[in-house]
Amino acid sequence: MVDYSHVFKQAIGRLHEEGRYRVFIDILRNKGAYPNARCFAGHNGPKPITVWCSNDYLAMGQHPTVIAAMEEALHDVGAGSGGTRNIGGNTHYHIDLEAELADLHGKEAALLFTSGYVSNEATLSTLGKLLPGCIIFSDELNHASMIAGIRSSGCEKKLWRHNDLEHLEALLAEADPDAPRLIAFESVYSMDGDIAPIAAVCDLAEKYGAMTYLDEVHAVGMYGARGGGISERDEVASRVTIIEGTLGKAFGVMGGYVTADRDIVDCIRSYAPGFIFTTSLSPVLVAGALASVRHLKASCEERDGQQAAAATLKRLMADAGLPVMQTASHIVPLMVGCPMKAKKVSDILLAEYGVYVQPINYPTVPRGTERLRFTPGPAHSEAMMAELVSALVEIWGRLEMRAAA
């Protein structure tokens, strides 16, 4: 007989041996005082800490306007949505938010999902099934949710080297000219912090008759005059067929969405199991996201503050001789190159300095490129950054780790 327990223990044991077993921190954020929080793990009562790795990039999850909108919705309509969008789970909040998101990206329509992962997986898998013989051209560093959606679509997949336009064009040129084609890529890649050449990808799409699918989850809210992402900043949103985003990062709440022409969105709404058969977002969450989107359409203060904070932290780390990766975005990765050491640095920062930053290990990044990923925001002060850099320099010396080349 199969010893099931032994199989599972072995699987977990392998993760421990490789130094990439994931530990979730036990914290509570302090409302209105982000990035300050309380850590409960390994302490006799909560210990004050500073959060440096949240994807709530602009602290909108703490914004008074967002919180007030959620409280109002809670007392107006209650907690849950009541079911799928088709059966009781459709509210006026959902309709309003979809209209705001379509407007944000200059598209005819939008569709809400319960997460960015689901919006990618459901949309890409459905598109592939609606386009018989479709070939999907996927950037090799695309998110796991995009990979899952492409795999589920059953389409032929062509991987193109990350941001390599020559390779993408070669693959497009050799493909069946009569086959439907879809180019899937991201705007900001969250682990290396680099940015896709969206306009050039659109040029190739137009040349070879392909649709484009752009994941903007790490850019919406943070780039462009109204927070429409890199595609808005670069004035190319109208050239992208489908723009996907999240409500759980810069907008500070929860959920995912896609925007496109009305017929495309209607097809996803009508055919995607990941949309049809799941309970819709709570109207409380939708109300908060709606307030956040509207606020960031009008306010550049948070975006400007975040960009300034990211630039300052990169400069301070580089000046201190730390191996910071210089990126074109708000992401601040600090290269370690070993899962054990990445975990060790993270543990020391939390236990001794009250600094919370998670190690990023395989499979999120390739083996040998393990790192710490910092996401400074408008509420991280320069004094906080100086204390963080001082702590990192001390730990780097203590562990005899390599400084920047």
Side-chain angles (χ1 to χ4, degrees), residues 335-357:
M335 187 59 66
V336 177
C338 167
M340 302 289 192
K341 287 187 176 179
K343 179 71 164 58
K344 183 68 173 175
V345 175
S346 173
D347 288 346
I348 294 173
L349 282 170
L350 184 62
E352 298 183 23
Y353 290 96
V355 167
Y356 172 46
V357 59

Side-chain angles (χ1 to χ4, degrees), residues 1 20 57 69 79 82 85 104 106 142 162 196 213 219 222 227 246 250 255 259 268 289 309 319 324 338 356 381 403:
M1 293 178 63
R20 58 187 187 94
Y57 292 125
R85 292 284 291 276
L104 178 65
N142 277 343
H162 177 55
Y213 182 99
M222 293 175 287
T246 184
T259 65
I268 304 305
D319 290 348
V324 61
C338 167
Y356 172 46
S381 68

Side-chain angles (χ1 to χ4, degrees), residues 264-297:
I264 293 175
V265 171
D266 201 15
C267 279
I268 304 305
R269 182 188 71 88
S270 302
Y271 284 92
F275 173 80
I276 296 169
F277 297 108
T278 190
T279 299
S280 66
L281 283 169
S282 160
V284 176
L285 295 171
V286 178
L290 178 60
S292 184
V293 171
R294 286 173 171 167
H295 175 85
L296 290 175
K297 278 184 174 180

Side-chain angles (χ1 to χ4, degrees), residues 72-119:
E72 181 181 349
L74 178 65
H75 294 291
D76 183 29
V77 301
S81 70
T84 66
R85 292 284 291 276
N86 186 51
I87 306 175
N90 195 62
T91 73
H92 192 61
Y93 290 110
H94 291 77
I95 303 300
D96 276 353
L97 180 53
E98 286 173 342
E100 288 286 349
L101 293 168
D103 172 75
L104 178 65
H105 296 292
K107 301 299 183 187
E108 292 180 349
L111 189 67
L112 287 173
F113 292 85
T114 50
S115 74
Y117 188 105
V118 175
S119 58

